[in-house]
Amino acid sequence: MDPNVRKNTVAAWTSLIRASARSLAVIEAALAGANLPPLSWYDALLEIEKAGPDGIRPYVLKERLLLPQYGTSRLLGRLAQAGYIIRTPCDGDGRGHVEKITDEGRRMRQAMWPVYQQSLIDIFEDNIDEKEAEILHDILRRIAN
Amino acid sequence: MDPNVRKNTVAAWTSLIRASARSLAVIEAALAGANLPPLSWYDALLEIEKAGPDGIRPYVLKERLLLPQYGTSRLLGRLAQAGYIIRTPCDGDGRGHVEKITDEGRRMRQAMWPVYQQSLIDIFEDNIDEKEAEILHDILRRIAN
DNA sequence: CAAGATTGACCAATCAATCTTT
DNA sequence: AAAGATTGATTGGTCAATCTTG
C-alpha cells in the first residue's frame, strides 16, 4: 500500500505555488503597467549583457535561463525583432549563432530594473525580514536543485 | 533616490521561482507520463467534487482556483467535453451555470491522486524535513497573501 | 549519428468585445 | 449599470519534424 503524503508537505506545496504565482503576477503587472516588456525579456537581456562584447551562444543561454531550446529560439527572435539584440553566425562553428546586446537593449534592461526591483521590495521586504529571507533561500534551494 | 533591493531578497526570489517551476515540471511530467490530464484538471475536479451534489458555480470556482473568469470558462469547457463534469443552467439565476462532477470525473480524480502524491513526496519529503516544511509554509503564507 | 538551432502545426492563455440577466 | 459567463482573435508555449554542421 502506498504511503500517504504528509499534511505539512501539501501545505508547504500550496503556499509555494501561490507565493510564486502571486509574485510573478505583481511583477508582470508592474512591468506591463509601465509599458515595459515581460520579465523573461529582462532575464535574457541581463544574461546577454553580462556575457560582454563577445556575446553568448543560444545553447549557453538556454542553460542559464532554464528554457527549452525552442523557447530560447523564439525568445531571441522576439528580442532581435525589437532591436534589443543582434544575432550573427558563429565563427568557428557553422551550426551556431552568437547573440549580442544593443545599446537599445541595454537601455531597456536598465529601464526595467527599477520597476522589477520595487516589486521585489513590495512583495518580499514588506512581508518577511532578512533572516526569514535567508531561511527561505536555504530551504528552497534544496527543492529547486 | 530609489532604495536598493537586498541581495537576500533576490536570492530568496530566485530560489522561489526555481523551486516552484521545478516542482510543477516534475508533477506535470509524472501525470503526462501516466497518460493523465494536467494538474489544473485535478484542482478543478477536486473543488467540484467537494461541492457535493448541489454542484458549484463558476464564479465561486474562479475564486478557489485563482483563475480569471475566461480561464475558468475554458477549463470547464474542456472538462465537460471530456465527460468529467456536467454543466446545467442555474435555477434562480438565469445568468449562471452549475457544475457537477460525474462518476467518470470522480474516477479520474482518484486515478490522478497517487501520481500527484508521489511527486510531492519525491520533491518535498526527500529534501526537507517536517519542521522545515512548516517553516516554509509559515513564511510563504505571508507572501502568498 | 550528435549538437546547435529553427520552424510548422497545434494547444493553451490572454485581451477585448459581447451577451444575458439582475 | 453591474454580475455571471462566454467567445473571436491574437499571442505565447510546446511537440515533432527538419536543417546544417561537427
Side-chain angles (χ1 to χ4, degrees):
Chain A
M1 143 157 182
D2 285 342
N4 276 359
V5 68
R6 293 180 210 130
K7 279 184 69 179
N8 275 341
T9 301
V10 177
W13 156 243
T14 301
S15 55
L16 175 64
I17 29 167
R18 302 230 160 179
S20 86
R22 181 179 165 249
S23 303
L24 273 173
V26 168
I27 294 166
E28 297 287 11
L31 289 170
N35 271 299
L36 293 167
L39 186 54
S40 57
W41 290 35
Y42 182 89
D43 293 331
L45 287 174
L46 180 61
E47 285 302 329
I48 299 168
E49 189 175 354
K50 282 200 296 187
D54 289 345
I56 192 171
R57 300 278 299 271
Y59 78 94
V60 177
L61 201 55
K62 175 196 81 155
E63 303 301 329
R64 304 258 172 94
L65 301 177
L66 300 179
L67 285 179
Q69 203 170 37
Y70 57 79
T72 308
S73 185
R74 300 228 128 112
L75 178 54
L76 291 171
R78 278 174 247 138
L79 289 172
Q81 173 79 28
Y84 297 149
I85 62 170
I86 39 166
R87 327 192 63 187
T88 48
C90 178
D91 288 4
D93 187 345
R95 297 168 304 179
H97 288 176
V98 178
E99 318 294 333
K100 293 179 188 158
I101 196 163
T102 63
D103 287 342
E104 263 190 274
R106 240 180 297 269
R107 274 196 297 274
M108 177 51 78
R109 207 226 92 220
Q110 281 168 28
M112 293 175 81
W113 176 236
V115 177
Y116 184 10
Q117 182 177 224
Q118 187 59 54
S119 300
L120 290 178
I121 291 171
D122 295 344
I123 298 160
F124 287 84
E125 301 187 4
D126 290 355
N127 292 300
I128 70 178
D129 64 32
E130 217 155 341
K131 186 139 181 282
E132 288 170 326
E134 257 173 63
I135 294 168
L136 206 55
H137 178 55
D138 283 341
I139 299 177
L140 288 176
R141 218 181 3 188
R142 302 212 294 282
I143 291 171
N145 248 2
Chain B
M1 141 156 186
D2 285 343
N4 276 359
V5 68
R6 292 180 210 131
K7 278 183 70 177
N8 276 341
T9 302
V10 176
W13 156 244
T14 301
S15 55
L16 175 64
I17 29 166
R18 301 230 162 178
S20 87
R22 184 184 161 244
S23 303
L24 274 173
V26 168
I27 294 166
E28 296 287 12
L31 289 170
N35 270 300
L36 293 167
L39 186 54
S40 57
W41 290 36
Y42 182 88
D43 292 331
L45 288 175
L46 180 60
E47 285 301 330
I48 299 168
E49 190 175 353
K50 282 200 294 186
D54 289 345
I56 193 171
R57 299 279 299 271
Y59 78 95
V60 177
L61 201 57
K62 175 196 81 158
E63 303 302 328
R64 305 259 171 92
L65 301 177
L66 301 178
L67 286 178
Q69 203 169 38
Y70 58 78
T72 308
S73 185
R74 300 226 128 112
L75 177 54
L76 291 172
R78 277 174 248 139
L79 290 172
Q81 174 78 26
Y84 298 149
I85 62 170
I86 39 166
R87 327 192 64 187
T88 50
C90 178
D91 288 4
D93 187 345
R95 297 168 303 181
H97 288 176
V98 177
E99 319 293 333
K100 293 178 187 158
I101 196 162
T102 63
D103 288 342
E104 263 190 274
R106 241 180 296 269
R107 274 196 296 276
M108 178 50 81
R109 207 226 92 221
Q110 281 168 29
M112 293 175 80
W113 177 236
V115 177
Y116 184 8
Q117 182 177 225
Q118 187 59 54
S119 300
L120 290 179
I121 291 171
D122 295 345
I123 299 160
F124 287 85
E125 300 186 4
D126 290 355
N127 291 300
I128 69 178
D129 64 33
E130 218 157 339
K131 186 140 181 280
E132 288 170 325
E134 257 174 63
I135 293 169
L136 206 54
H137 178 56
D138 283 342
I139 299 177
L140 288 176
R141 218 179 7 187
R142 302 211 293 282
I143 292 170
N145 248 2

